[in-house]
Amino acid sequence: MLSTISGVRVDKLPNPIDSLDARLIGLLALEPRIGVLECSRRLHVARGTVQARLDRLTERGVIRGYGPDIDPAALGYGVTAFVTLEIRQRFGHDPVAAHLAEIPEVLEAHTITGSGDLMCRIVARSNTDLQRVIDRVMGFDGIERSSTIIALAEQIPHRTLPLVAAAARAT
């Protein structure tokens, strides 16, 4: 039995990247301000090849942006917490997500399976400030209950380069 992703048969999905794409992504991850010409020199390929690869990877959503990687702790937000939300089903996820998007301390939110409906990663300046953020999150009528877990230390920071390498090896 074949499964599908977004209506496309999994066995028919194009390989997302090859080894040149992986090397290009790795170079950009290590040196985000590097130019296309310097990428082409370091990768030993034509400038047009690098530009075409970048355009293709961006168009396909593999590369989502080129902005700086911001550390919330360096901005004074040293507390990270993961909050599971249970929502009132009659409201649906979209209004709750819109509410959460208005709160700057909510860094991401995902619809989940299991005992909750949404999982959020939030930051705060202190544990006391975390209570303020959670109160603001809970201030929406569509949210019934929350459960919060405070992160004590980051063991593995957000990363994608090992995944990029694995995807390139799959070719």
Side-chain angles (χ1 to χ4, degrees):
M1 178 177 185
L2 296 172
S3 58
T4 62
I5 298 173
S6 299
V8 177
R9 285 177 35 168
V10 172
D11 67 329
K12 298 296 182 185
L13 287 175
N15 190 3
I17 61 170
D18 61 16
S19 63
L20 178 58
D21 291 333
R23 290 175 28 229
L24 176 59
I25 292 168
L27 183 58
L28 289 169
L30 293 173
E31 298 182 53
R33 296 175 63 170
I34 193 170
V36 173
L37 183 59
E38 185 60 24
C39 282
S40 70
R41 286 183 183 145
R42 293 196 196 174
L43 297 173
H44 306 291
V45 296
R47 182 192 181 287
T49 300
V50 170
Q51 189 63 60
R53 294 290 183 117
L54 285 174
D55 291 346
R56 181 175 53 89
L57 290 167
T58 302
E59 178 182 300
R60 292 178 48 218
V62 174
I63 294 177
R64 297 191 306 188
Y66 296 91
D69 187 14
I70 307 299
D71 180 3
L75 294 174
Y77 294 86
V79 176
T80 298
F82 297 91
V83 179
T84 303
L85 301 176
E86 293 179 28
I87 66 171
R88 291 194 175 99
Q89 299 302 314
R90 67 185 168 104
F91 287 96
H93 290 85
D94 292 342
V96 174
H99 165 68
L100 295 172
E102 294 175 4
I103 303 170
E105 295 88 354
V106 176
L107 301 184
E108 56 187 301
H110 302 270
T111 302
I112 60 170
T113 62
S115 62
D117 299 304
L118 288 166
M119 174 71 75
C120 304
R121 181 166 60 110
I122 65 174
V123 293
R125 296 183 180 277
S126 64
N127 287 348
T128 302
D129 189 46
L130 178 60
Q131 182 63 60
R132 177 195 60 82
V133 175
I134 292 169
D135 288 347
R136 186 166 177 201
V137 166
M138 295 301 296
F140 185 72
D141 193 39
I143 301 173
E144 287 204 13
R145 186 173 295 113
S146 71
S147 175
T148 302
I149 298 170
I150 297 174
L152 298 177
E154 182 179 77
Q155 299 299 324
I156 299 173
H158 178 76
R159 63 190 185 141
T160 55
L161 288 183
L163 187 62
V164 168
R169 284 192 305 269
T171 57

